[in-house]
């Protein structure tokens, strides 16, 4: 006789929205602080202008990573999902903010920002739960 397999898989997504919003707020604050520091350094030093996009993407990555890390620590579980939530929330806020101004960020750079947001958020979330 063959045993019957009657196990049902129940998916539960226990997402802490407060943790995602808190991490997103901290990511925005970190981004503003890092942009102020970077802008000050660029203004007062001799600086190669070709590095500006790299520095901007680095600020985006670091800010979302920190937001994902804090969000995952606050949630205590499913860090990658909470970090992803922070990354996507930050990305949506960035795109909405860029539409307000006439020279927004659309084109190939958006793809880089989407990938950086997703990767940074997930990595920060994984690291935040892992510690």
């Amino acid at each position: 006789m063959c045993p019957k397999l009657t196990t049902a898989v129940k998916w539960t997504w226990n997402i802490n929205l407060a943790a995602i919003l808190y991490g997103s707020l901290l990511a925005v604050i970190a981004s503003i602080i890092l942009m102020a520091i970077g802008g000050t350094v660029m203004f007062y030093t001799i600086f190669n202008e070709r590095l500006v996009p790299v520095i901007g993407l680095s600020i985006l990555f670091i800010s979302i990573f920190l937001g994902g890390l804090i969000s995952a620590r606050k949630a205590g579980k499913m860090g990658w999902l909470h970090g992803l939530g922070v990354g996507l929330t930050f990305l949506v806020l960035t795109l909405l903010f860029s539409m307000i101004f006439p020279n927004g960020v659309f084109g190939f750079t958006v793809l880089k920002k989407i990938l950086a947001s997703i990767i940074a958020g997930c990595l920060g979330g994984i690291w935040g739960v892992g510690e």
Side-chain angles (χ1 to χ4, degrees), residues 51-72:
L51 293 176
V52 172
V54 174
I55 291 172
L57 195 61
S58 300
I59 289 172
L60 176 90
F61 191 89
I62 292 168
S63 299
I64 295 173
F65 181 85
L66 290 174
L69 185 129
I70 298 300
S71 174

Side-chain angles (χ1 to χ4, degrees), residues 16-98:
N16 187 344
L17 290 177
I20 291 174
L21 292 176
Y22 183 72
S24 298
L25 177 66
L26 289 179
V28 169
I29 292 170
S31 181
I32 291 170
I33 292 170
L34 289 174
M35 283 189 293
I37 292 170
T40 304
V41 168
M42 284 186 242
F43 183 76
Y44 287 110
T45 60
I46 299 171
F47 195 76
N48 189 352
E49 304 244 345
R50 290 183 285 173
L51 293 176
V52 172
V54 174
I55 291 172
L57 195 61
S58 300
I59 289 172
L60 176 90
F61 191 89
I62 292 168
S63 299
I64 295 173
F65 181 85
L66 290 174
L69 185 129
I70 298 300
S71 174
R73 281 191 181 166
K74 190 167 177 72
K77 58 184 171 185
M78 298 190 75
W80 68 272
L81 189 61
H82 288 88
L84 179 64
V86 170
L88 292 177
T89 302
F90 189 91
L91 180 69
V92 167
L93 290 174
T94 302
L95 291 176
L96 288 174
F97 187 73
S98 71

Side-chain angles (χ1 to χ4, degrees), residues 85-127:
V86 170
L88 292 177
T89 302
F90 189 91
L91 180 69
V92 167
L93 290 174
T94 302
L95 291 176
L96 288 174
F97 187 73
S98 71
M99 284 195 275
I100 295 172
F101 296 100
N103 295 327
V105 288
F106 290 105
F108 182 67
T109 56
V110 174
L111 179 63
K112 283 193 243 181
K113 288 184 180 187
I114 290 171
L115 289 175
S117 298
I118 290 171
I119 292 169
C122 288
L123 287 177
I126 290 169
W127 193 343

